[in-house]
Amino acid sequence: MSVLSKEAGGDFNVGCIGKDVENYLGNKRRKLFEEGDAQRLYAYFFDRQCKEPGFVYSMQVDENGCMGSCFWVDARSRASYQYFGDVVTFDATYLTNIYKMPFVPFSGVNHHHQTIMFGCALLVNETAESYVWLLRTWQEAMLGRAPSTIITDDDKAMAKAIGEVLPNTTHRLCLWHILQKFPEHLAYVYNRFPDFQKDFHHCIHNTITIDEFEHEWSVILVKYELGDNTWLQNLYNRREKWVPAYLRSTFCAGMSTTQRSESMNKFFKDYVRSSTMVSDFVHQYEKALDARYFKEKEKDVRTKSTCAILKTCYKIEEEASIVYTRKSFTIFQDELFNSQRYNSTKFSNEGESKTYRVVPHGKETPLYHVTLESGGDKVTCTCHMFEFMGILCRHILCVLGKKSKLDCLSQHHILERWTINAKSRPIIDIPILEGHVTPQDDLAMRKNSLMMQFYVIAELGTKSRKKLNHLSLALDKVHNELLLMEDDDNIEESVGPVGRESTYESISQRSQVVSNFSQTIQDPPRVPTKGRPKSLRAKNPKEMQPTKKRRCSVCKNEGHARNNCPLVRDIGHTVQVDSTNLDS
Ligand SMILES: [Zn+2]
Ligand SMILES: [Zn+2]
């Protein structure tokens, strides 16, 4: 049973579903908690939606009146998804609340290549059914738009749910998590054959085509006698989901691991502890989101108020510096600058398309093939960086340079999601109140908007000594005036007509729903914890704490634990290498 709640006028009427819950819970009344954690969580969701119509949540209640899984997403995250929802990662973590309910955030990247959130959930368990419920609810909140790629850990229940709910989405498994399992499962191979690691690394990271990968893989199976290893065979059967050679032309916005969502998990852990009540957790989550949102605004201002430093004389560079966000431009600029290290020669001329061989100056390898269709709009490279992350690679830029085509940036080669104007398209289906003030955080919000204003003024004020003096004097004057003023005016009075209207609406909406939904929801079973529970899932080396084990369970050597095992660390390290840069 689900209490799915949407903005007034949406498909789901809060009041109606509230009544449903009442009927359902009617005879369970005595068993319910008063003022419990779950009830406060529900109150938070309800209150938040009244103030922010674009906020959406859903809460399950089981037959005992206990809170089940819940999902929530704010209006800003829903809007962000409409711009940047092409690639999504999601992952579960356990360290966030007293019930040990796994916390599952959806995340992605914005135009500044920052991690952003697309909603999150607390699940009762990690079964396929729970994930199906979550994905369906999430899709509904996201206006039914499925991502083109979703990156998750290697988890059977997740995979099943994704196949069912998102059949047209490419499901990619986190490469880091897969590779991390190798030293554990194949420790004897690592110990017996010193070359295995090098061969294996090359097979995974440096093969560009599927044929190359298949060839090297079969050589490895024979050379290291791994032909009858069932664990490896199982992993190989799922190779389309994790081997880079299979995924080079799948758009991933530059991501190959769930590390972004894991870094988010770590980020949230700064805000919460394992003893946190869910009703406190949602407040902390809201604060964390505000902090993220402010960082995005900061980058917006920075891109718009400063000029990029150019490194070449190509006109295309100047144009890119105007169109792209600063971070996107830096990536493009690096490719453009490095394109000068390559040589291209015409290789074949088949009908409408021309193919070029591209190699570093004075070398024969690595060799890339760049194909240019007539007109020059469609261009591909065997490194597939453009398909993978949407920014032209150095090899294509080398060919364009040779053909004197570096004068202008073709619209076909710019992804809107990486540009300054990525968020300019209005989204009418999600109500976002501009200048919206949440009472519990209004101080922080006011401060944030002032900081934004100061930032722009400070940028301007430092342009010359004259401007600096002028600004400094003006600030002194305002400062003294502020000190003489009293704090007696009520900030709520200054909320504009939009705010007032919504307050009126929310009160009428609230009274209607409260009359229907007068029950309390019971807390989920509490799991008492002694400090932080151990995560059931593998963690990044950064998160790992050294343990006191005397013998390593991975390489069987003494003197270190598996957390510090050089084998594991090396695997972790190799993935950190930018997978788009095949030269390294
Ligand atoms: Zn390339
Ligand atoms: Zn070890």
Side-chain angles (χ1 to χ4, degrees), residues 335 368-370 380-386 392-396 582:
E335 293 302 315
Y368 299 91
H369 287 114
V370 171
T380 53
C381 174
T382 44
C383 85
H384 294 297
M385 175 176 170
F386 187 67
L392 286 179
C393 68
R394 53 194 68 184
H395 321 110
I396 289 174
L582 297 164

Side-chain angles (χ1 to χ4, degrees), residues 161-268:
I162 289 166
E164 197 175 321
V165 183
L166 304 167
N168 301 317
T169 296
T170 302
H171 180 203
R172 176 169 195 168
L173 300 175
C174 170
L175 185 60
W176 185 86
H177 275 99
I178 300 260
L179 294 181
Q180 211 227 10
K181 290 177 194 160
F182 273 81
E184 209 171 310
H185 286 266
L186 303 176
Y188 67 101
V189 188
Y190 280 86
N191 282 329
R192 227 176 105 199
F193 305 103
D195 280 351
F196 175 73
Q197 197 163 340
K198 194 177 100 263
D199 287 354
F200 179 68
H201 178 272
H202 190 273
C203 170
I204 299 299
H205 294 281
N206 296 38
T207 52
I208 291 169
T209 66
I210 291 169
D211 286 347
E212 274 171 40
F213 164 77
E214 294 288 349
H215 174 71
E216 289 197 16
W217 184 270
S218 59
V219 168
I220 284 175
L221 286 194
V222 174
K223 186 173 170 189
Y224 300 107
E225 299 157 30
L226 286 164
D228 52 4
N229 186 305
T230 48
W231 176 79
L232 203 59
Q233 187 58 44
N234 273 329
L235 211 51
Y236 175 77
N237 292 343
R238 284 174 286 154
R239 62 196 178 282
E240 288 97 339
K241 286 188 174 182
W242 62 275
V243 172
Y246 279 91
L247 292 154
R248 291 208 193 279
S249 48
T250 301
F251 184 70
C252 290
M255 294 183 281
S256 61
T257 71
T258 55
Q259 274 176 347
R260 276 181 186 271
S261 61
E262 284 190 19
S263 73
M264 283 314 273
N265 291 347
K266 199 175 169 298
F267 177 75
F268 287 121

Side-chain angles (χ1 to χ4, degrees), residues 305-463:
S305 64
T306 62
C307 285
I309 297 158
L310 304 183
K311 288 183 182 172
T312 72
C313 299
Y314 298 118
K315 261 196 135 173
I316 198 174
E317 188 188 10
E318 199 184 336
E319 215 175 301
S321 76
I322 296 163
V323 174
Y324 280 134
T325 60
R326 195 54 37 83
K327 178 69 186 173
S328 304
F329 171 69
T330 309
I331 296 169
F332 175 82
Q333 185 182 45
D334 192 47
E335 293 302 315
L336 182 66
F337 189 74
N338 279 299
S339 74
Q340 301 172 120
R341 294 171 38 220
Y342 287 80
N343 251 339
S344 74
T345 46
K346 199 184 279 182
F347 172 66
S348 76
N349 206 341
E350 283 174 31
E352 299 287 274
S353 66
K354 296 186 180 83
T355 301
Y356 297 80
R357 291 164 56 95
V358 181
V359 285
H361 285 309
K363 285 185 186 168
E364 285 304 306
T365 55
L367 166 69
Y368 299 91
H369 287 114
V370 171
T371 305
L372 225 64
E373 304 292 331
S374 71
D377 283 343
K378 189 159 171 13
V379 52
T380 53
C381 174
T382 44
C383 85
H384 294 297
M385 175 176 170
F386 187 67
E387 291 96 314
F388 183 72
M389 83 170 292
I391 290 176
L392 286 179
C393 68
R394 53 194 68 184
H395 321 110
I396 289 174
L397 289 167
C398 168
V399 172
L400 293 180
K402 191 177 184 186
K403 294 178 65 77
S404 310
K405 280 189 170 172
L406 291 179
D407 286 341
C408 72
L409 196 53
S410 160
Q411 286 304 312
H412 298 269
H413 299 152
I414 308 165
L415 252 63
E416 196 186 20
R417 64 131 40 243
W418 297 132
T419 67
I420 295 168
N421 293 322
K423 294 176 85 170
S424 57
R425 177 168 43 96
I427 289 164
I428 37 173
D429 294 321
I430 300 169
I432 299 172
L433 295 179
E434 288 300 337
H436 160 78
V437 177
T438 42
Q440 68 266 38
D441 271 8
D442 57 356
L443 193 68
M445 294 294 285
R446 272 183 261 159
K447 211 166 165 183
N448 278 0
S449 77
L450 265 183
M451 291 305 288
M452 298 307 301
Q453 205 181 344
F454 286 157
Y455 196 91
V456 179
I457 294 172
E459 287 282 345
L460 265 175
T462 46
K463 293 230 155 116

